Amino acid sequence: MTTTNRVMLVDGMALLFRAFYATAMSNYYMINSKGIPTNGVYGMMKHLFTAIETYQPTHVICCWDMGSKTFRNDLFPDYKANRGAPPEELIPQFDLAKEVVESLGIPNVGQAGYEADDCMGTLSREYSEHSQVFLLTGDQDLLQLLKPNVHVVLLKKGYGNYAEYHEESFTEEKGITPQQMIDLKALMGDTSDNYPGVKGIGEKTALKLLLKYETIEGILENIEELTKGQRSKIQENLDMLHLSRKLAAIHCKADVNCSLEEALFYINDEKMRAKFDELEFKNWEKNIVRM
């Protein structure tokens, strides 16, 4: 199906965090005359405009986490409990980033109780029916959303470096389908999101089992064929396996919507200039937007 719409869904948190830490490592926070640090927002804009220049979307939407607690914490209180509080120089930049995105005429989307991933999943399902969708993120979890018309663009080090995935390239590289990624994470767990999966089963074993049995159900139906060690690990951690799968799956039915009319990418130069100047962004015409 050929479509003229190219919709870019942006993982706001991923861009902001990446940009913040890239300069925070050297204590460069770009504090303006009002005492507000702007390094994360400045770098986020650079990531955003570089990607827009590369992928030429017709529509852009920015998705956000809304608070640190989600339905996943209700299922598993230790979900992401390993993450410390954000640095104090980053905290004022959360709202600032949304303000700047708004000044560009780009809708900010999020729902309390859900992560940005869930919002991106929900919207990508809707738009991919009639448009080409690009998910801009640093988070490999979004690879499970790949399908015809949905591409994942993973940020790599620096600006303008991406690993772009579509359904076929993912399966060629990983050997499994995007959908199987959920079961892969359920088996091996996820240290960054702080859930264990099946203790003692790593990526190598999990991949081997999925290549042979396709799904967790397939593995459980053929559990007698597994080695004694694999069998006992899975049986001892069965509840956690099922719970981990719920935690790993992106929830594509969040209560978010945004019409394509709202998301049409058109920048009011005057509004953008006023916002960038208000924040005292230096050399932005050269570094962020090629005017």
Side-chain angles (χ1 to χ4, degrees):
M1 174 172 73
T2 55
T3 67
T4 48
N5 287 340
R6 292 167 66 83
V7 183
M8 181 173 276
L9 297 175
V10 178
D11 183 342
M13 284 303 190
L15 267 66
L16 183 63
F17 270 83
R18 180 173 288 255
F20 175 82
Y21 284 109
T23 53
M25 303 302 275
S26 49
N27 287 331
Y28 183 56
Y29 297 113
M30 292 174 61
I31 294 169
N32 64 20
S33 64
K34 298 181 193 81
I36 299 166
T38 59
N39 65 318
V41 181
Y42 189 98
M44 179 188 174
M45 288 301 112
K46 193 169 173 182
H47 276 304
L48 180 63
F49 277 98
T50 306
I52 285 169
E53 201 170 290
T54 305
Y55 289 96
Q56 298 288 310
T58 52
H59 301 74
V60 182
I61 295 162
C62 196
C63 296
W64 296 93
D65 296 348
M66 304 292 279
S68 56
K69 293 276 182 274
T70 69
F71 74 93
R72 292 179 181 85
N73 297 97
D74 297 335
L75 293 172
F76 184 59
D78 284 340
Y79 181 73
K80 289 191 178 179
N82 54 338
R83 302 193 183 186
E88 60 180 277
E89 294 85 0
L90 178 57
I91 292 167
Q93 299 192 58
F94 291 130
D95 287 340
L96 208 54
K98 289 178 192 160
E99 279 175 34
V100 176
V101 166
E102 202 178 307
S103 77
L104 302 173
I106 296 171
N108 286 307
V109 170
Q111 189 195 354
Y114 292 88
E115 294 179 39
D117 292 7
D118 302 313
C119 300
M120 292 172 84
T122 302
L123 294 175
S124 75
R125 287 286 179 266
E126 185 190 326
Y127 300 144
S128 63
E129 297 293 322
H130 47 69
S131 305
Q132 184 76 54
V133 179
F134 297 87
L135 305 176
L136 180 67
T137 182
D139 185 353
Q140 298 217 10
D141 288 354
L142 272 89
L143 292 167
Q144 65 182 261
L145 298 173
L146 289 165
K147 53 185 285 203
N149 269 7
V150 178
H151 290 211
V152 173
V153 177
L154 287 177
L155 298 161
K156 298 185 80 173
K157 203 170 178 176
Y159 291 94
N161 300 317
Y162 310 106
E164 187 186 339
Y165 285 92
H166 47 83
E167 211 172 13
E168 295 79 16
S169 68
F170 173 86
T171 302
E172 269 168 41
E173 185 183 316
K174 308 280 187 191
I176 56 173
T177 65
Q179 193 59 30
Q180 283 176 298
M181 238 194 104
I182 301 168
D183 286 7
L184 178 69
K185 286 190 66 181
L187 285 159
M188 60 184 268
D190 185 327
T191 48
S192 78
D193 285 344
N194 203 43
Y195 58 86
V198 176
K199 280 194 179 73
I201 288 194
E203 185 172 14
K204 209 169 151 191
T205 305
L207 270 172
K208 208 163 118 186
L209 293 173
L210 287 173
L211 288 172
K212 187 167 183 187
Y213 302 110
E214 295 188 358
T215 61
I216 285 170
E217 285 74 22
I219 294 168
L220 296 177
E221 280 161 22
N222 296 282
I223 199 152
E224 295 310 315
E225 292 179 18
L226 271 48
T227 67
K228 195 178 165 196
Q230 291 166 352
R231 193 163 63 237
S232 65
K233 283 170 192 164
I234 288 172
Q235 285 169 335
E236 282 163 25
N237 292 278
L238 204 52
D239 288 348
M240 185 47 80
L241 173 63
H242 290 305
L243 177 56
S244 294
R245 178 153 62 171
K246 284 182 185 159
L247 299 172
I250 290 174
H251 182 88
C252 293
K253 290 185 178 161
D255 187 17
V256 289
N257 53 60
C258 180
S259 71
L260 283 181
E261 287 73 35
E262 281 175 85
L264 193 65
F265 182 63
Y266 168 78
I267 285 180
N268 178 324
D269 288 346
E270 214 171 295
K271 221 172 156 190
M272 173 179 72
R273 184 180 292 277
K275 194 70 190 169
F276 286 3
D277 288 346
E278 177 200 324
L279 293 176
E280 299 166 27
F281 280 179
K282 292 186 177 69
N283 299 325
W284 63 263
E285 283 156 303
K286 189 175 78 182
N287 291 333
I288 296 178
V289 190
R290 290 165 179 80
M291 299 288 278

